[in-house]
Amino acid sequence: MSEKYKRSADFLLDAIFPRKCVCCNEIIDGEEELCDNCIRFIERVDPLKRCLFCGLEKPDCDCKYYLYHFKGAVAPFFNSGLAKKGIYDFKLNAKAHYSVFFAREMARTVTNELRDVRFDAAVYVPSSRLSYLKRGINHSFVLAKRVAEFLDIPLIKDSLLAKFHFGAQHKSDKLNRFKRARKVFRYNTKCSADLSGKTLLLIDDIKTTGATLDECSRQLLLAGAKEVYCVTAVISNRNKGQKKINYVMTDKKAEKILSDFGNNIY
């Protein structure tokens, strides 16, 4: 197709299917996915104010409360306001084209904040069969495919399995989420990729408590991965204005978990 006809085709497509802002759904011009107003007001995570291990702002860091299996977690946006609307439209309303914007921002965050890490491959949090049938897409896979392309790293498919639907997690406290996650996620023994010694980037749409990312990371480590880092599109800074969960990971508990993990006793 000649350049002239290509421009005409692009013009016609834009007229029939105009570009819309990912967050507010207003019609926009140009190549950006956000309108000027949303660019100003979308709530980004400040990398200078966050803990690179749990991903939360430093005053709300919960690394002293929990021993995570992943090495670090980052996200470009908070799970609030415009970003929350956009990611839920993508996740619940099957607006798959929104994944381009979020995946690009996730890749930029990884490049900027995990610049010293050399990733061997990307993996993603699996959807249960029920979730896939309800939504029609595995949103984590869609994001992971684009993030891997932006970062130019291979994507390992189906490394993890979700045995059944997670259920209404937003109604559970953090400890119950961790207990439920332990029952749901498993390494896929039929996965053809060898994870031995690999540094992996685990991708999901939302980090709330970290229970899902933690259990998926644990399964990948048990399968032989060297390290697992996580990136999500949005992160819930859920400690803001909320009472701290009264659970402290004591040195004795931490030593037992580390000992068990070293012996693969789970």
Side-chain angles (χ1 to χ4, degrees):
M1 181 184 295
S2 69
E3 188 63 27
K4 178 180 178 181
Y5 286 114
K6 185 177 184 301
R7 287 198 301 270
S8 299
D10 290 341
F11 178 81
L12 182 60
L13 285 173
D14 288 340
I16 299 174
F17 304 106
R19 295 176 62 85
K20 294 185 178 181
C21 174
V22 168
C23 292
C24 69
N25 214 33
E26 291 293 323
I27 295 176
I28 55 176
D29 296 322
E31 297 299 321
E32 296 293 332
E33 282 91 4
L34 295 181
C35 67
D36 292 340
N37 188 59
C38 290
I39 288 175
R40 289 196 299 271
F41 292 106
I42 193 168
E43 191 176 3
R44 293 181 179 271
V45 179
D46 186 344
L48 299 179
K49 295 181 180 179
R50 82 151 122 233
C51 169
L52 277 177
F53 294 103
C54 65
L56 296 173
E57 289 185 333
K58 292 176 182 178
D60 298 303
C61 168
D62 59 6
C63 292
K64 58 184 175 291
Y65 292 87
Y66 302 95
L67 183 67
Y68 292 106
H69 290 87
F70 51 78
K71 192 79 172 179
V74 295
F77 306 110
F78 284 116
N79 187 25
S80 61
L82 297 171
K84 181 176 182 178
K85 182 181 183 303
I87 198 66
Y88 276 88
D89 271 345
F90 161 61
K91 182 176 180 177
L92 303 179
N93 297 327
K95 296 187 177 180
H97 57 287
Y98 283 19
S99 64
V100 178
F101 167 72
F102 285 109
R104 182 181 293 115
E105 294 298 324
M106 292 163 70
R108 286 173 178 169
T109 300
V110 170
T111 300
N112 293 334
E113 300 184 42
L114 301 175
R115 64 176 65 88
D116 296 328
V117 183
R118 296 292 175 265
F119 292 104
D120 296 302
V123 294
Y124 53 93
V125 172
S127 289
S128 68
R129 184 172 181 81
L130 177 60
S131 177
Y132 183 81
L133 289 174
K134 286 172 62 177
R135 297 170 182 166
I137 63 170
N138 179 345
H139 45 276
S140 296
F141 169 71
V142 174
L143 284 173
K145 184 177 180 181
R146 294 193 182 278
V147 171
E149 290 172 353
F150 285 129
L151 295 176
D152 194 25
I153 58 176
L155 175 65
I156 298 176
K157 296 181 179 180
D158 301 325
S159 61
L160 295 164
L161 296 174
K163 293 178 63 178
F164 51 85
H165 187 52
F166 218 111
Q169 280 294 88
H170 64 280
K171 297 180 181 179
S172 302
D173 61 28
K174 183 161 185 172
L175 292 182
N176 282 325
R177 290 189 185 210
F178 273 81
K179 291 176 182 178
R180 294 172 73 180
R182 181 64 63 90
K183 298 176 182 179
V184 173
F185 299 103
R186 291 289 182 270
Y187 170 68
N188 183 8
T189 56
K190 296 182 180 180
C191 177
S192 59
D194 182 10
L195 304 185
S196 301
K198 285 184 167 58
T199 297
L200 302 175
L201 180 64
L202 176 61
I203 297 167
D204 200 6
D205 56 343
I206 302 170
K207 178 181 181 289
T208 306
T209 62
T212 294
L213 295 174
D214 182 70
E215 180 57 23
C216 288
S217 297
R218 188 178 79 90
Q219 293 294 328
L220 294 169
L221 291 170
L222 289 174
K226 179 183 177 182
E227 293 176 334
V228 180
Y229 292 81
C230 305
V231 62
T232 58
V234 297
I235 184 170
S236 297
N237 208 38
R238 79 263 174 282
N239 287 334
K240 271 191 172 182
Q242 298 184 25
K243 185 178 179 181
K244 284 281 188 180
I245 298 171
N246 187 24
Y247 179 79
V248 178
M249 180 69 74
T250 64
D251 290 340
K252 187 175 182 180
K253 289 180 181 177
E255 287 174 3
K256 183 179 187 305
I257 289 177
L258 287 173
S259 174
D260 289 348
F261 179 72
N263 294 301
N264 288 346
I265 303 175
Y266 281 88

